Amino acid sequence: MKNTLVAELLRNIAQLLEIKGELVFKIRAYEKAALVIENLEEDIEEIWKKGSLDDIPGVGEGLAKKIEEFLKTGKLEYYEKLKKEVPVDMEELGRVEGLGPKTILKLYKKYKIKNLKELEKAAKQHKIQKIEGLGPVVEKNILKSVAFAKTSGKRFLLGHALDIAEEIKDKLKKLKDVNKVEIAGSLRRMKETIGDIDFLITSKNPARIMDFFISMDNVENVMAKGPTKASVRLKEGLDADLRIIGEKSYGAALLYFTGSKQHNIVLRKIAIKKGMKLSEYGVFDKKTSRLLAGKTEEECYKKLGLRYIEPETREDDGEIEAAQKNSLPKLIEYNDIKCDLQMHTKWSDGSNTILEMAQAAKKLSHEYICITDHVGKTFKIVNSLDEKRVKLQRKEIENANTKLNGIVVLQGAEVNIMDDGTLDMKDSVLKELDIVLASIHSGFKNPKEKITERIVKAMENEHVDIIAHPTGRLINQRPAYELDFEKILDKAKATKTVLEVNAYPERMDLNDVNARAAIKAGIKLSIGTDSHDADQLRNCKLGIAIARRAWANKKDIINTYTVKDMLKLLK
Ligand code: DGT
Ligand code: CA
Ligand code: CA
Ligand code: ZN
């Protein structure tokens, strides 16, 4: 349904017209139509297909034509032209949380603020709080969201970058001139967002590899090309670097190009202290320049007096000290996982059946899965299950289990935490489910105390096992809601509530930092892909990556338990 989109378009136009100083009645016409369309029950595309756009109150022939153009092409020439005429970057400013068109207009009228940069400057000079209706709280929020809006949209989601990189890696591997291929950089460290992809290769015939790399199908632009180094812009929008190195220094190069930069800096300092020199070519004796190590990462670490450090933890956040003291944790492995604990099916807003999800999960070697469709009354758009449908679904799951071999299906649910912290489903229904996930899907702007209190109250419900996507952030789209995370951890510990590591690429929630704090506090974590399609089940590895970045060992993650042990733990 594009009603909201159309309404937004008309509002943007009204706003631009107002800034241009157009006649009031013209501006109001757009605003009025926006309001009507926003509140229409019927899908505006359906109305258009019936040819009755101009039957909508407030939509005349001219406006109907514009809406039609927009629905047909996804663009409106008139709006594009208007944007060029008016200097205010409405779309950029609109990305700032809590900054509606009205406020943008006020800011323009009062201080001629046209873009993010000028907005930030004004906020830092405390000019915003002086505008009527805004005040210091709004000013503070604006500064916070400006910081967020500035960083968002530039980095790629791990899940997407990984797919692209692995496809290229497979192609490179098949070339007969290639010996070793490895993805390095932030991708090897499995950071939640990726700036660019870094490939390392050993080969006796660099020229051939280079030619292949710069002429792959998805290369849009070659930015640099030398005998052993190349940089390309991919059609998908991100860059990829490739370097060819000698076998003798493969380990040292891998270490160097995996980073993080901070981790490397500390390693080099350690080398210097030991009378050695570390570079991308190897570990050398400072005096004689003799090569001491370089073929593998292990031998480089060893020469520096360190145990091998897993890439996911190379962030200079205590791992080097731990490697010196031989106290690094034994991290959970990518094949330690036995199950997936969050997914949706056709019963609510997913696109596959229970059986299809189970079969796909079995292919990923899962031993069991938990179906966690939305339940309750308030979350209507996702087709939430009521009490009756929960019972019907149980029958279908029982039935599926008789048909399936080698995988077990559990019945769970994702239930909304309401505004007052109660749950959107009766206890008598929740009690019957194997696993109950509770999560927040509304009221993101609640003050910190309130959101914290809502989650705390949900954890106090004895049927709630897991808090799903605990901080509510969407990478590059929406920051986490305000949360007293310490308090959440205390309560989780006291109520033995598990916190989810949601592995949906946009969510990755808990993130690495929060997950590490939770583990430190003695709290168990679960991994759920939140799949709405069987193809998304493979995102499980992203959740394991977060767990590894959080220094988790096997026991910290309940997905490594057998179904029996897990249900016992959640009892
Ligand atoms: P990204 O691409 O922004 O997600 O992050 P990275 O870590 O992949 O960074 P990138 O692609 O600029 O460089 C790859 C690795 O190369 C980086 O993790 C460490 C190493 N590296 C790059 N520049 C420097 C540098 O100036 N000093 C040191 N020590 N290492 C560097
Ligand atoms: Ca990189
Ligand atoms: Ca790079
Ligand atoms: Zn959810």
Side-chain angles (χ1 to χ4, degrees):
M1 194 140 136
K2 296 206 171 121
N3 299 26
T4 329
L5 249 144
V6 173
E8 196 180 318
L9 172 78
L10 299 181
R11 274 221 181 85
N12 285 349
I13 292 174
Q15 224 48 57
L16 292 175
L17 292 176
E18 192 157 355
I19 289 171
K20 258 185 84 183
E22 292 275 349
L23 290 170
V24 174
F25 83 90
K26 197 171 165 187
I27 300 162
R28 294 291 166 262
Y30 279 96
E31 281 175 348
K32 204 178 134 215
L35 191 69
V36 173
I37 289 166
E38 201 170 46
N39 288 303
L40 282 178
E41 292 272 334
E42 216 183 331
D43 188 335
I44 193 153
E45 268 182 298
E46 295 301 319
I47 301 175
W48 162 51
K49 279 178 198 151
K50 280 194 298 197
S52 26
L53 277 177
D54 49 11
D55 288 350
I56 301 172
V59 177
E61 203 185 323
L63 211 49
K65 268 204 185 121
K66 290 192 174 82
I67 296 172
E68 176 169 11
E69 182 189 330
F70 180 70
L71 289 174
K72 225 190 234 164
T73 65
K75 256 184 142 171
L76 178 61
E77 205 45 54
Y78 172 73
Y79 175 55
E80 297 303 317
K81 237 180 78 199
L82 208 54
K83 274 199 289 190
K84 280 189 198 126
E85 284 170 34
V86 178
V88 181
D89 193 338
M90 300 286 290
E91 283 170 7
E92 188 182 79
L93 289 171
R95 277 215 306 272
V96 175
E97 283 254 322
L99 208 59
K102 284 237 158 57
T103 318
I104 295 176
L105 183 63
K106 269 190 199 162
L107 293 171
Y108 178 70
K109 281 192 171 156
K110 181 107 190 186
Y111 297 122
K112 294 267 170 280
I113 292 170
K114 297 187 287 295
N115 52 40
L116 214 55
K117 222 171 133 189
E118 292 170 357
L119 176 70
E120 188 178 21
K121 200 171 146 205
K124 281 191 175 148
Q125 294 169 345
H126 302 298
K127 279 181 172 171
I128 309 276
Q129 53 172 291
K130 289 188 200 119
I131 298 178
E132 204 195 315
L134 295 184
V137 177
V138 176
E139 183 173 272
K140 221 176 99 199
N141 282 341
I142 284 180
L143 270 174
K144 233 190 263 165
S145 339
V146 166
F148 182 78
K150 265 181 17 192
T151 57
S152 67
K154 282 183 202 137
R155 295 181 62 84
F156 285 75
L157 298 177
L158 171 65
H160 297 170
L162 202 57
D163 281 348
I164 297 165
E166 273 172 355
E167 210 180 305
I168 296 176
K169 184 181 170 184
D170 285 343
K171 282 188 210 157
L172 290 167
K173 238 188 203 158
K174 285 199 188 106
L175 302 179
K176 73 171 179 4
D177 295 304
V178 166
N179 294 330
K180 295 193 182 88
V181 194
E182 195 57 76
I183 299 167
S186 51
L187 252 181
R188 184 157 179 252
R189 305 198 312 278
M190 299 290 267
K191 261 188 86 162
E192 65 190 29
T193 62
I194 301 299
D196 72 354
I197 307 175
D198 305 280
F199 292 102
L200 287 192
I201 287 191
T202 65
S203 166
K204 292 217 168 67
N205 195 346
R208 284 256 273 282
I209 314 284
M210 284 302 169
D211 289 340
F212 174 85
F213 184 69
I214 61 162
S215 48
M216 294 182 302
D217 285 346
N218 58 336
V219 169
E220 186 175 88
N221 202 352
V222 178
M223 273 134 39
K225 185 190 176 241
T228 59
K229 255 201 258 203
S231 232
V232 296
R233 163 76 38 94
L234 301 173
K235 292 217 169 88
E236 291 87 346
L238 82 171
D239 298 345
D241 290 346
L242 179 133
R243 264 166 243 262
I244 298 179
I245 52 214
E247 293 283 349
K248 267 200 330 233
S249 46
Y250 178 72
L254 189 55
L255 188 59
Y256 182 88
F257 290 109
T258 296
S260 65
K261 196 171 157 184
Q262 225 36 51
H263 179 89
N264 290 350
I265 289 171
V266 180
L267 292 187
R268 278 206 299 272
K269 280 190 192 147
I270 292 176
I272 290 167
K273 265 199 198 138
K274 290 185 178 295
M276 296 183 260
K277 190 175 157 282
L278 171 69
S279 74
E280 57 191 282
Y281 302 105
V283 184
F284 298 89
D285 185 303
K286 185 94 202 263
K287 275 201 207 108
T288 65
S289 295
R290 196 167 62 93
L291 177 70
L292 303 173
K295 235 178 139 90
T296 67
E297 286 186 315
E298 281 84 354
E299 67 176 43
C300 295
Y301 276 121
K302 200 169 167 196
K303 267 281 165 272
L304 301 176
L306 301 170
R307 303 293 294 247
Y308 177 74
I309 299 174
E310 299 283 359
E312 290 91 333
T313 61
R314 297 182 194 169
E315 298 292 345
D316 184 28
D317 201 3
E319 77 280 7
I320 293 170
E321 293 82 344
Q324 275 168 335
K325 287 189 289 191
N326 195 11
S327 64
L328 283 167
K330 165 102 185 66
L331 297 186
I332 178 175
E333 299 285 343
Y334 285 93
N335 59 11
D336 279 339
I337 291 284
K338 295 190 196 311
C339 68
D340 189 333
L341 295 175
Q342 179 170 189
M343 67 189 66
H344 302 262
T345 71
K346 276 188 170 164
W347 280 83
S348 65
D349 59 343
S351 49
N352 289 91
T353 63
I354 291 168
L355 213 54
E356 285 163 353
M357 293 306 266
Q359 278 152 350
K362 196 181 150 185
K363 280 201 190 118
L364 295 170
S365 304
H366 288 321
E367 293 174 13
Y368 60 104
I369 55 171
C370 187
I371 303 292
T372 55
D373 277 309
H374 300 279
V375 299
K377 289 191 199 70
T378 47
F379 209 27
K380 282 216 182 72
I381 36 168
V382 296
N383 191 23
S384 300
L385 282 66
D386 59 10
E387 182 173 0
K388 231 159 100 195
R389 289 178 69 222
V390 170
K391 280 193 184 131
L392 289 174
Q393 191 193 45
R394 181 165 319 132
K395 289 235 170 70
E396 185 174 320
I397 288 178
E398 280 164 9
N399 194 14
N401 276 321
T402 63
K403 285 187 199 146
L404 288 163
N405 237 327
I407 185 152
V408 172
V409 182
L410 302 178
Q411 188 186 28
E414 180 178 15
V415 58
N416 256 344
I417 302 173
M418 312 285 283
D419 213 40
D420 60 359
T422 58
L423 299 175
D424 189 15
M425 183 48 85
K426 282 190 290 192
D427 281 355
S428 59
V429 178
L430 299 180
K431 203 177 97 195
E432 299 301 320
L433 299 165
D434 295 313
I435 299 177
V436 174
L437 313 188
S439 55
I440 286 195
H441 291 102
S442 61
F444 298 107
K445 298 265 175 63
N446 283 170
K448 190 173 181 172
E449 295 70 33
K450 172 145 188 193
I451 297 220
T452 307
E453 219 25 69
R454 285 168 72 191
I455 298 179
V456 161
K457 201 163 163 195
M459 288 195 280
E460 281 167 353
N461 181 308
E462 57 170 333
H463 305 302
V464 169
D465 301 300
I466 298 173
I467 300 297
H469 45 74
T471 76
R473 65 97 173 250
L474 292 176
I475 298 174
N476 291 347
Q477 294 173 44
R478 182 177 75 205
Y481 36 69
E482 300 258 5
L483 202 59
D484 185 343
F485 197 59
E486 289 289 311
K487 220 173 189 171
I488 298 294
L489 292 182
D490 288 346
K491 198 70 193 180
K493 175 99 186 176
T495 55
K496 291 213 176 76
T497 308
V498 172
L499 298 182
E500 183 186 61
V501 170
N502 190 298
Y504 201 80
E506 279 84 356
R507 288 196 181 273
M508 302 290 270
D509 179 11
L510 296 177
N511 68 10
D512 47 7
V513 174
N514 287 333
R516 191 167 169 196
I519 290 168
K520 225 185 218 159
I523 288 153
K524 300 269 187 237
L525 303 177
S526 71
I527 293 173
T529 58
D530 204 349
S531 292
H532 287 69
D533 188 296
D535 188 48
Q536 295 167 350
L537 290 168
R538 61 198 182 87
N539 289 331
C540 207
K541 58 177 184 276
L542 308 181
I544 305 169
I546 297 177
R548 285 169 64 83
R549 290 180 60 84
W551 294 42
N553 60 44
K554 213 172 144 172
K555 283 205 301 277
D556 297 317
I557 309 295
I558 65 170
N559 304 59
T560 64
Y561 297 23
T562 61
V563 66
K564 216 174 117 201
D565 288 347
M566 197 215 36
L567 289 175
K568 208 161 92 193
L569 180 95
L570 297 180
K571 257 278 150 292

